Amino acid sequence: MYSALMAIGLLSHIGCVFSTYLPSVRSYEALGGVNDEDANKIVGGTPAAEGEFPYQAALNLSGIFCGGTLISKSIVLTAAHCLEGFSASPVNTFKVTVNTTKLSGGNGAIVRGVRKFVTHPLFNPITFDNDVALLALSYPIKNVRLSKLPSAYTTSTYAGQTAVAVGWGATSFGGNLSNSLLKASVTVLTNEACNLQYNNTITSNMVCASAPGKDACQGDSGGPLLVKGVQIGITSFGEGCADPRFAGVYTRVTRYLTWIQTISRIIQSAPGFY
Ligand SMILES: *[C@@H]1O[C@H](CO)[C@@H](O)[C@H](O)[C@H]1NC(C)=O
Ligand SMILES: *[C@@H]1O[C@H](CO)[C@@H](O)[C@H](O)[C@H]1NC(C)=O
Ligand SMILES: *[C@@H]1O[C@H](CO)[C@@H](O)[C@H](O)[C@H]1NC(C)=O
Ligand SMILES: CC(=O)N[C@H]1CO[C@H](CO)[C@@H](O)[C@@H]1O
């Protein structure tokens, strides 16, 4: 349903540039009606080991599923498109689960509510530029390893490096959640190469990665792309999944380190916040 709306939006705003290109959001249920189970999980993945990605978060946003990462004891990093269309009001129905590989709530799973969320003010739902958001948890999570963000001094584009995409990938709460957390190895492209695939719609705020038969997919949105254990990307969108002609597209985390730090500080200094 959402993909149809996205398509209409793309066509009306950008005209023929996008005429055959309908990027798929990678948050589940956004594309309800996709029934091919294999096409809707981390493609070509293998199960993550317990404790391998304890900071990986499962977000239930009033029935919309997304991934995320715990970046401080009370802040989760995710994709802005996961929160599209939500006002602040339903925040008390949001649920965040970390420290488990099993969506069904495995050993050690920790569940929190959400106090508020902040999406990037320049998030563009047509181009998916600035696809980044933060959730403030209702109560802090202690003693769970946090996702490590790149250093502020990083100048690397990561092109050519091996990365890992992580997620539960799913189509709908009713049926097709992958109960086990999956990971897949991909290689980071240059933005130039990615722009050849996507007709120059890849901005410097994005980073692309692909590998034959491997990709993030619907349901993985908001989750991490990691290089040597450092989170360089947030799963955002792609044309199809593991389509050899199109890489997966991720929000480029190095572009948002200051924003993440500033907003986290504001959130955490709010009265009554832990
Ligand atoms: C890119 O543009 C060309 C020519 O306009 C078009 O044939 C092609 O389908 C487009 N590709 C995508 C991914 O939109
Ligand atoms: C997700 O949250 C909604 C309420 O917002 C709830 O009805 C639904 O059961 C939850 N799904 C799962 C799998 O926890
Ligand atoms: C996280 O999960 C592991 C099991 O995978 C468990 O041993 C550990 O106590 C959990 N951490 C917390 C803080 O609950
Ligand atoms: C394994 C599984 O649960 N598959 C389901 C995926 O979703 C479709 C449509 O809801 C079901 O028909 C499958 O049984």
Side-chain angles (χ1 to χ4, degrees), residues 55 147-151 154 158 163-164 224-233 253-254:
Y55 46 79
S147 181
K148 192 175 173 203
L149 302 186
S151 129
T154 306
Y158 304 102
V164 179
L225 180 72
L226 306 150
V227 167
K228 297 188 182 109
V230 173
Q231 184 176 354
I232 69 151
V253 172
T254 50

Side-chain angles (χ1 to χ4, degrees), residues 50-51 54 98-101 106-110 141-144:
E50 229 178 83
V98 298
N99 200 47
T100 183
T101 58
N107 276 348
I110 300 171
I141 294 174
K142 290 186 185 143
N143 303 317
V144 167

Side-chain angles (χ1 to χ4, degrees), residues 47-148:
E50 229 178 83
E52 192 176 5
F53 309 105
Y55 46 79
Q56 169 79 30
L59 313 184
N60 179 351
L61 309 170
S62 307
I64 301 284
F65 182 86
C66 266
T69 50
L70 190 69
I71 59 164
S72 82
K73 63 189 193 315
S74 44
I75 308 264
V76 165
L77 178 65
T78 187
H81 79 259
C82 293
L83 293 150
E84 219 194 329
F86 286 119
S87 60
S89 49
V91 95
N92 54 0
T93 66
F94 289 3
K95 219 176 63 179
V96 174
T97 307
V98 298
N99 200 47
T100 183
T101 58
K102 300 289 182 211
L103 270 190
S104 53
N107 276 348
I110 300 171
V111 183
R112 291 290 186 268
V114 172
R115 183 177 282 242
K116 66 178 291 182
F117 65 84
V118 181
T119 55
H120 196 285
L122 298 178
F123 168 59
N124 184 327
I126 309 298
T127 62
F128 277 40
D129 202 15
N130 304 301
D131 193 10
V132 55
L134 296 171
L135 305 179
L137 302 179
S138 57
Y139 198 77
I141 294 174
K142 290 186 185 143
N143 303 317
V144 167
R145 183 153 56 85
L146 305 176
S147 181
K148 192 175 173 203

Side-chain angles (χ1 to χ4, degrees), residues 8-270:
I8 290 161
L10 288 167
L11 294 173
S12 61
H13 284 84
I14 311 194
C16 58
V17 172
F18 280 107
S19 55
T20 60
Y21 162 47
L22 311 173
S24 57
V25 277
R26 293 181 165 199
S27 58
Y28 102 165
E29 203 171 80
L31 293 169
V34 180
N35 284 323
D36 178 4
E37 205 198 354
D38 290 331
N40 289 287
K41 292 184 176 169
I42 284 265
V43 180
T46 54
E50 229 178 83
E52 192 176 5
F53 309 105
Y55 46 79
Q56 169 79 30
L59 313 184
N60 179 351
L61 309 170
S62 307
I64 301 284
F65 182 86
C66 266
T69 50
L70 190 69
I71 59 164
S72 82
K73 63 189 193 315
S74 44
I75 308 264
V76 165
L77 178 65
T78 187
H81 79 259
C82 293
L83 293 150
E84 219 194 329
F86 286 119
S87 60
S89 49
V91 95
N92 54 0
T93 66
F94 289 3
K95 219 176 63 179
V96 174
T97 307
V98 298
N99 200 47
T100 183
T101 58
K102 300 289 182 211
L103 270 190
S104 53
N107 276 348
I110 300 171
V111 183
R112 291 290 186 268
V114 172
R115 183 177 282 242
K116 66 178 291 182
F117 65 84
V118 181
T119 55
H120 196 285
L122 298 178
F123 168 59
N124 184 327
I126 309 298
T127 62
F128 277 40
D129 202 15
N130 304 301
D131 193 10
V132 55
L134 296 171
L135 305 179
L137 302 179
S138 57
Y139 198 77
I141 294 174
K142 290 186 185 143
N143 303 317
V144 167
R145 183 153 56 85
L146 305 176
S147 181
K148 192 175 173 203
L149 302 186
S151 129
Y153 304 106
T154 306
T155 53
S156 176
T157 65
Y158 304 102
Q161 299 207 42
T162 297
V164 179
V166 188
W168 280 281
T171 53
S172 74
F173 271 125
N176 283 324
L177 288 169
S178 166
N179 193 39
S180 297
L181 185 62
L182 300 176
K183 59 172 180 175
S185 274
V186 288
T187 303
V188 178
L189 278 69
T190 62
N191 276 33
E192 290 71 20
C194 199
N195 261 319
L196 292 177
Q197 301 181 349
Y198 282 98
N199 278 352
N200 292 318
T201 58
I202 302 304
T203 72
S204 53
N205 298 318
M206 302 172 185
V207 54
C208 304
S210 65
K214 295 179 182 181
D215 199 2
C217 202
Q218 287 88 14
D220 295 318
S221 276
L225 180 72
L226 306 150
V227 167
K228 297 188 182 109
V230 173
Q231 184 176 354
I232 69 151
I234 303 166
T235 304
S236 185
F237 71 94
E239 170 62 21
C241 295
D243 181 328
R245 297 167 301 166
F246 298 100
V249 186
Y250 302 78
T251 308
R252 188 180 282 277
V253 172
T254 50
R255 304 281 293 178
Y256 298 98
L257 294 171
T258 305
W259 184 80
I260 290 168
Q261 198 177 47
T262 306
I263 301 301
S264 298
R265 199 176 292 142
I266 292 170
I267 289 173
Q268 278 163 338
S269 63

